[in-house]
């Protein structure tokens, strides 16, 4: 029986990160993956969909510039778009493969292509894709099993007419019409992608009164308005009664709180109602690994209820993001073979929502702060006062920074909606981790002209020393405080801390 210092089940982002970190410690590692190296994070998730979003944004920008020139005609091919997506995916997959092959040649890493199942706390039975079974022993095991789109039993998903995100690449052409079930991030991202190209009539089923219900009203309403401006029909407050395939098309029935009942027919449907961990036939009971009622692994900073087994990525109940999974994978290995200098920090997780326009998020938003009854102060600044946004002709959007309601004004979180929003969050994430206030932001020299300059003006507004004055532009620049009971007091120039 082959023995290893560490065995990693799953070669997606979290598993690959764990594998590479273990090699840093000079350990002998077994990497077990039954599918493609890179997992859904590359092939059916973050990289593939974001590549499609980038291309759709470029296409829309080319067709609607407003810079003194007009593109009268251009060719658009769904096959070409998908091929470009595959090129991006293949490029990243090739990088991962090159690293794995390098360490295989050095005999530090052995790759097993097949399904891994726990026999006990240290042994794994691998059913190889090529045929046969092999059993290995590992001193420690990391479960990075990943996830897949959630299926609803009452909906006949065939990945041809009714799809999940896994089936998008199989479409032969831009559909003439598509309905998207689920108004969370992924559903709204695909609504943005298809509507950007202008070849597909998009419908979005939203059981709530507004899309992205976990975000603040101003973000949600602005993004909904932009989607509708892009031609998307949002079925607000609708409950899906049924969805079925009729004569090769999708028929779906909606019920509304006011008693209305609507029947719609479209060419395709995309079901985007979350993801579930790949826990089937994993042998968790054999090793004594315990799960929550929702099917996530019970873990303490990545360590499961079994001392030799760790869980990372989508298998945990934490945020299911590539960057979080990679962080957890590395941290688990550091717990096993080293001594981490700090515990995992989730309060400063940075995320990007690839919508119209993009949204960057880090830390708390107002909805979360009010739910936790945290007193806070807020500064909001519209993009139209940012020189870089003016130069781009992209002034739709705003900055919003939340801080503690005290003299320290420690940063609680930030939301930025607008072009280049993704370039704004790193400094804020670091300052949240360090427990710093906005005062240091106010006097930093930001590159000019750049979108992140809006962060600095928000900090200055909170301190009562902004260059752009909210008392002049009080509809676009706002500064207010909210107490633990949710009561709002509007502030100008950041008073009473004008300092």
């Amino acid at each position: 029986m082959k023995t290893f210092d560490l065995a990693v089940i799953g070669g997606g982002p979290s598993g690959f990160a764990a594998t590479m970190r273990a090699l840093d410690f000079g350990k002998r590692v077994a990497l077990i993956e039954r599918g493609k190296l890179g997992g859904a994070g590359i092939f059916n998730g973050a990289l593939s969909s974001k590549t499609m979003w980038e291309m759709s944004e470029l296409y829309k920008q080319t067709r609607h510039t407003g810079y003194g020139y007009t593109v009268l005609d251009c060719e658009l091919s769904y096959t070409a778009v998908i091929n470009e997506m595959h090129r991006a995916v293949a490029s990243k997959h090739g990088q991962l493969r090159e690293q794995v092959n390098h360490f295989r040649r050095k005999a530090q890493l052995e790759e097993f292509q097949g399904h891994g199942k726990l026999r006990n706390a240290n042994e794994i039975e691998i059913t190889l894709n090529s045929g046969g079974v092999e059993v290995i022993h590992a001193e420690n095991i990391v479960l990075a099993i990943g996830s897949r789109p959630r299926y609803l039993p009452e909906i006949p998903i065939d990945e041809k007419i009714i799809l999940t995100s896994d089936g998008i690449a199989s479409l032969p052409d831009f559909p003439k019409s598509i309905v998207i079930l689920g108004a969370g991030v992924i559903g709204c991202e695909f609504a943005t992608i298809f509507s950007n190209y202008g070849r597909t009539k998009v419908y979005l089923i939203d059981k709530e009164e507004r899309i992205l219900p976990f975000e603040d009203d101003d973000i949600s309403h602005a993004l909904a308005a932009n989607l509708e401006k892009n031609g998307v029909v949002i079925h607000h407050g609708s409950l899906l009664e049924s969805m079925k395939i009729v004569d090769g098309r999708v028929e779906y029935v909606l019920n509304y709180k006011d008693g209305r009942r609507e029947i719609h027919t479209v060419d395709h449907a995309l079901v985007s109602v979350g993801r579930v961990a790949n826990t089937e036939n994993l042998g968790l009971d054999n090793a004594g690994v315990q799960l929550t009622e929702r099917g996530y692994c019970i873990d303490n900073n990545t360590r499961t209820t079994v001392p030799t087994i760790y869980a990372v990525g989508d298998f945990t109940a934490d945020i299911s993001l590539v960057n979080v999974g990679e962080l957890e994978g590395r941290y688990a290995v550091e717990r096993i073979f080293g001594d981490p200098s700090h515990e995992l920090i989730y309060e400063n997780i940075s995320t990007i929502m690839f919508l119209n326009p993009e949204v960057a998020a880090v830390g708390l938003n107002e909805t979360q702060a009010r739910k936790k009854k945290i007193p806070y102060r807020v500064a909001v600044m519209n993009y139209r006062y940012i020189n870089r946004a003016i130069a781009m002709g992209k002034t739709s959007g705003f900055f919003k920074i939340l801080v503690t309601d005290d003299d320290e004004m420690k940063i609680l979180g930030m939301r930025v909606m607008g072009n280049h929003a993704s370039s704004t969050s790193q400094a804020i994430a670091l300052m949240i981790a360090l427990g710093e206030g906005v005062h240091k932001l106010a006097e930093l020299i930001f590159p000019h002209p750049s979108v992140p300059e809006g962060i600095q003006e928000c900090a200055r507004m909170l301190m009562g020393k902004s260059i752009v004055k909210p008392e002049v532009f009080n509809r676009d620049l706002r500064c207010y405080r909210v107490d633990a009971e949710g009561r709002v007091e509007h502030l100008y120039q950041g008073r009473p801390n004008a300092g």
Side-chain angles (χ1 to χ4, degrees), residues 170-219:
S170 67
L171 289 172
D173 200 352
F174 289 103
K176 291 183 180 178
S177 57
I178 190 169
V179 62
I180 299 174
L181 175 62
V185 174
I186 302 302
C188 289
E189 283 183 356
F190 276 109
T192 301
I193 290 167
F194 281 110
S195 63
N196 275 352
Y197 284 114
R199 301 295 178 89
T200 304
K201 184 63 180 179
V202 181
Y203 300 84
L204 183 62
I205 299 175
D206 179 15
K207 67 179 180 179
E208 307 292 342
E209 293 303 321
R210 59 185 181 87
I211 64 172
L212 304 170
F214 51 86
E215 277 298 342
D216 294 339
D217 287 355
D218 48 8
I219 293 281

Side-chain angles (χ1 to χ4, degrees), residues 422-440:
S422 56
S423 66
T424 63
S425 60
Q426 290 83 357
I428 297 298
L430 177 61
M431 295 188 74
I432 292 175
L434 296 176
E436 295 286 355
V438 298
H439 305 85
K440 291 186 178 180

Side-chain angles (χ1 to χ4, degrees), residues 134-384:
E134 186 165 352
V135 177
I136 65 171
H137 180 278
E139 292 300 313
N140 294 280
I141 298 170
V142 170
L143 301 176
I145 58 177
S147 64
R148 64 185 184 278
R150 183 185 299 278
Y151 275 40
L152 299 178
E154 65 274 18
I155 296 179
I157 297 173
D158 61 355
E159 297 296 2
K160 294 180 180 179
I161 297 174
I162 300 181
L163 317 157
T164 67
S165 57
D166 286 355
I168 288 295
S170 67
L171 289 172
D173 200 352
F174 289 103
K176 291 183 180 178
S177 57
I178 190 169
V179 62
I180 299 174
L181 175 62
V185 174
I186 302 302
C188 289
E189 283 183 356
F190 276 109
T192 301
I193 290 167
F194 281 110
S195 63
N196 275 352
Y197 284 114
R199 301 295 178 89
T200 304
K201 184 63 180 179
V202 181
Y203 300 84
L204 183 62
I205 299 175
D206 179 15
K207 67 179 180 179
E208 307 292 342
E209 293 303 321
R210 59 185 181 87
I211 64 172
L212 304 170
F214 51 86
E215 277 298 342
D216 294 339
D217 287 355
D218 48 8
I219 293 281
S220 175
H221 291 314
L223 291 171
N226 289 343
L227 281 173
E228 290 170 338
K229 185 178 178 180
N230 231 24
V232 176
V233 175
I234 303 176
H235 299 301
H236 290 290
S238 60
L239 182 64
L240 182 68
E241 177 184 310
S242 66
M243 179 179 287
K244 56 187 177 181
I245 300 173
V246 179
D247 296 329
R249 303 187 77 208
V250 179
E251 179 183 282
Y252 64 99
V253 182
L254 301 176
N255 292 314
Y256 294 85
K257 293 178 181 178
D258 60 8
R260 283 181 297 136
R261 184 174 184 268
E262 297 178 349
I263 301 176
H264 300 267
T265 302
V266 293
D267 290 329
H268 291 276
L270 172 63
V271 178
S272 179
V273 290
R275 299 181 69 87
V276 293
N278 297 318
T279 56
E280 293 78 14
N281 195 30
L282 196 60
L284 298 174
D285 290 340
N286 298 339
V289 176
Q290 298 179 20
L291 303 180
T292 67
E293 291 183 359
R294 297 178 58 200
Y296 293 109
C297 188
I298 297 174
D299 73 290
N300 176 21
N301 274 340
T302 70
R303 189 176 184 176
T304 72
T305 51
V306 180
T308 58
I309 300 177
Y310 291 71
V312 298
D314 291 356
F315 194 22
T316 71
D318 305 306
I319 303 171
S320 295
L321 294 170
V322 168
N323 53 352
V324 176
E326 290 178 341
L327 185 68
E328 289 176 341
R330 293 170 58 82
Y331 186 85
V333 170
E334 288 166 2
R335 285 197 66 183
I336 295 169
F337 299 120
D339 184 18
S341 59
H342 58 80
E343 291 189 353
L344 280 169
I345 299 172
Y346 292 99
E347 289 76 16
N348 68 334
I349 298 298
S350 299
T351 64
I352 312 169
M353 291 176 272
F354 290 81
L355 305 171
N356 182 21
E358 64 187 89
V359 176
V362 57
L364 295 179
N365 59 23
E366 288 196 78
T367 300
Q368 295 164 329
R370 291 191 186 208
K371 186 176 180 180
K372 294 181 178 182
K373 295 186 178 298
I374 299 174
Y376 62 91
R377 297 181 197 176
V378 180
V380 180
M381 182 175 189
N382 195 286
Y383 252 50
R384 71 183 64 188

